[in-house]
Amino acid sequence: MKPEKIYQELKDLADKLEVGVEEHNFRHSGIHVKSGACVVHGKHMVIIDKHQSLGKKIRVLAAALSKFPHESVYTVPAVRDVIAKFAEP
């Protein structure tokens, strides 16, 4: 499966899990900011630096989604493999 398709499938899974995914330009923030999961006003979010490579975006999103109960939501096997690969212990 192409990386673009995997990234889109991950974003679709995040939507089903009610996890927001946003890409932002961190270069102009003036502080050191790292992509990852957070809670904003009680809503789970994954904020990603839009200047990261597609591979890094996939890694960040897959690692974040691995922490949510996603097993009961249908996802193509290739995406499940990516989530398992980047799951943080």
Side-chain angles (χ1 to χ4, degrees):
M1 183 178 278
K2 292 184 178 185
E4 295 84 5
K5 180 68 173 164
I6 289 174
Y7 188 56
Q8 185 59 52
E9 291 284 334
L10 287 168
K11 292 194 314 187
D12 291 345
L13 176 59
D15 188 50
K16 291 174 187 174
L17 296 173
E18 298 181 354
V19 175
V21 178
E22 294 184 8
E23 292 187 24
H24 291 278
N25 182 357
F26 292 164
R27 291 184 180 172
H28 303 306
S29 67
I31 57 174
H32 177 71
V33 181
K34 185 177 176 183
S35 296
C38 61
V39 178
V40 178
H41 299 292
K43 180 172 172 48
H44 291 281
M45 302 284 300
V46 179
I47 310 296
I48 301 172
D49 183 348
K50 74 177 188 175
H51 296 290
Q52 287 186 332
S53 69
L54 184 56
K56 288 182 182 177
K57 290 177 184 181
I58 289 170
R59 252 181 300 214
V60 167
L61 187 51
L65 292 178
S66 72
K67 298 175 185 175
F68 291 91
H70 62 278
E71 293 81 13
S72 63
V73 179
Y74 176 76
T75 306
V76 294
V79 173
R80 287 197 182 277
D81 292 344
V82 169
I83 292 171
K85 179 179 177 181
F86 296 115
E88 297 176 355

